[in-house]
Amino acid sequence: MKILVCIKQVGDDGDMNRFDAHALEEALFIKEHSDNTMPEPVSVDIVTAGPSTAEKIIRRAFGMGADRGFHIVTENSDYISSFVTAFGLSAVAKKTSYDLILTGIMSEDMMAGQTGPMMAKILNLPCATGVIKIFLPLTGKTIKVEREMENGFRDGLVILLPAVLTIQAGINTPRYPCLSNMLSANRKQILSLSSEDLFWEPIRARESCIGMEDPEKARTGRVLEGSVADKAAQLFSFLREKNLI
Amino acid sequence: MKQILVIAEIFKGRIRPVTWELVAGARKIAAILSQTRNIPGKHLPCIQIIVPSDNPKPLAEKISEQTGNAVIGLQIPGFKTYTSDIYIDCLGQLIREMTPTHILAAHTSQGRDFAPGLALELNAASISGINHIRFDETGLFYSRPVLDNTKNMLVRPDPDRPVMLTLMPGVFKPDSHKKGKTKQVDILKISFGSDACENSRIQPTKILKRPCENQALKGAKIIVAAGRGVEKKENLELISRFADCFSSSAVGASRPLVDMGWIGYEHQVGITGTIVAPEVYIACGISGSSQHIAGMKDTKCVISINKNPTAPIFRHSDICITADVLEFIHAFLTLPDPV
């Protein structure tokens, strides 16, 4: 069984997107718990699309236990469309016949949650988003999952493999990279690709970012001034005035 | 005639109220188009609401009665529960025969699941999680929260194709209902693929409800809620002591604390936890994700303590206290009693 995990570098520190770390953890957990129940050994590959600095999260993924890493090297850009990313990742996914493709429910920076379900459509695979539970061990042609909905509801599904799942936080606790993996991670080769390697002509986004704004205030916050003790005293008198304390 | 389409959100055979918010969003788009395009009224896009179901007639009639808009009941034989495969295929078959400019769905666990795939199916642009619909001389554009809700990104879709939009729940206020102006209801039958729903690649087993004893949260006048700013599980003790200062209080928590197993799910405030509206909500070290805000925004008075002055929670607060939450609570608990 072959699993592909799509990961993204986010934030000023250039760390792995938190939700993608949950997806990678789940893939590694599946590998450890289904290796004996599946007809063939389980492998976990990872892929990312991002600038050259994204190599950092591929090394981290190796440290956690991933087998192979693909890197679609892109230009540094303020806005990358989910649509363009989904086509790039799908082109890599097509090179190997994966049984399961996992990614985070969304990225922490763009918060769109579109890459996973778009990949499913491009690859013509079934897809479930916001997966909070996967039933193990895997034994054959299907995977049983629960998808998170609002107000504590969960949607139980049995999905035919191959499939795309996007993973919600709370499904697991991602492991830290282990030392022996980290040492071999530095020797592992990252398979780098450019968009030109993947496509005859560039994929064009269907929308563009035209600016950024500070969100407006929903309430007119009164800011308490002074030392921490002053602020505590002010809050106390406010609550006392309202007869709450 | 061009259409603005709204995909009604149906859960367990009932219309979810977010559907009325989608209609409000569609009306806003229609109003902007009629204002900005100097063309006769009859060429303006009309709003049509689509209701997928195995028996859509009663739901479609109810929506038409409630909104006064035209409704299409999309009858899918054998359809029981929502799955993305069935929605993308059947809605795709229906909408391909139409000429929409905009297709609206809710940014919920259901809308987020099918909208990106449906957009590709229809060769449309796709923008998710919209919190404002705006326009300038070039046309419509949309704002969506990014970077942990600290910024809004303004996004404009290509004008030469339809756009699929998912709207944040709780943002667009439903219009007052216009009863008595029932519009046309059409029922259209479309089968899933070449196959029956039973042969779909995604088989729903059952919908489960996570048991949740949240009466304490629901009944409290004051909720003291903890977020990642408490730093470690042991510090929740301090939050409890803070909450004990008030007579009718309960301890709440943001999602990450529940995910990490520090505190039980019955304490989780937010869309996926409990939705609360106490007299006072004290957010302790909570940054303020949109899913958390949506779970407490109807509170009378919000007090926030956070060491990061740009934390999104401060935009939703009546009293803002920039301080390390642990240090602040220590100071509060050791105040000389002024009585």
Side-chain angles (χ1 to χ4, degrees), chain A residues 144-215:
Chain A
K144 190 180 171 197
V145 305
E146 283 175 14
R147 212 165 79 71
E148 188 180 67
M149 295 190 286
E150 290 76 12
N151 307 324
F153 282 104
R154 286 182 177 197
D155 200 1
L157 302 167
V158 175
I159 303 172
L160 188 66
L161 295 175
V164 177
L165 306 178
T166 77
I167 303 296
Q168 174 61 289
I171 193 172
N172 56 37
T173 307
R175 68 193 65 189
Y176 287 100
C178 80
L179 188 62
S180 62
N181 281 345
M182 281 308 262
L183 292 173
S184 59
N186 291 329
R187 290 194 304 272
K188 265 194 184 173
Q189 205 192 337
I190 296 171
L191 303 146
S192 288
L193 305 133
S194 68
S195 319
E196 291 78 45
D197 298 333
L198 297 169
F199 302 107
W200 287 105
E201 53 182 314
I203 303 289
R204 269 194 57 243
R206 293 173 173 181
E207 77 290 335
S208 47
C209 168
I210 57 169
M212 297 286 264
E213 272 184 2
D214 286 327

Side-chain angles (χ1 to χ4, degrees), chain A residues 99-114:
Chain A
D99 304 281
L100 188 60
I101 298 174
L102 303 181
T103 190
I105 184 172
M106 61 170 142
S107 64
E108 290 170 90
D109 52 0
M110 288 300 115
M111 302 170 72
Q114 301 206 90

Side-chain angles (χ1 to χ4, degrees), chain A residues 114 121 129 151 214 231, chain B residues 113 121 126 151 209 299 322:
Chain A
Q114 301 206 90
K121 185 69 198 160
T129 57
N151 307 324
D214 286 327
K231 289 173 184 169
Chain B
D113 199 52
E121 176 75 26
S126 183
K151 292 276 178 194
K209 171 93 175 148
T299 300
T322 311

Side-chain angles (χ1 to χ4, degrees), chain B residues 1-5 26 29-31 33-34 37 39-48 99-102:
Chain B
M1 186 160 46
K2 302 265 185 190
Q3 304 102 8
I4 299 171
L5 301 177
I29 291 171
L33 292 178
S34 68
R37 288 185 197 169
I39 47 172
K42 63 177 177 178
H43 295 298
L44 284 175
C46 73
I47 297 171
Q48 285 188 296
T99 49
T101 53
H102 299 77

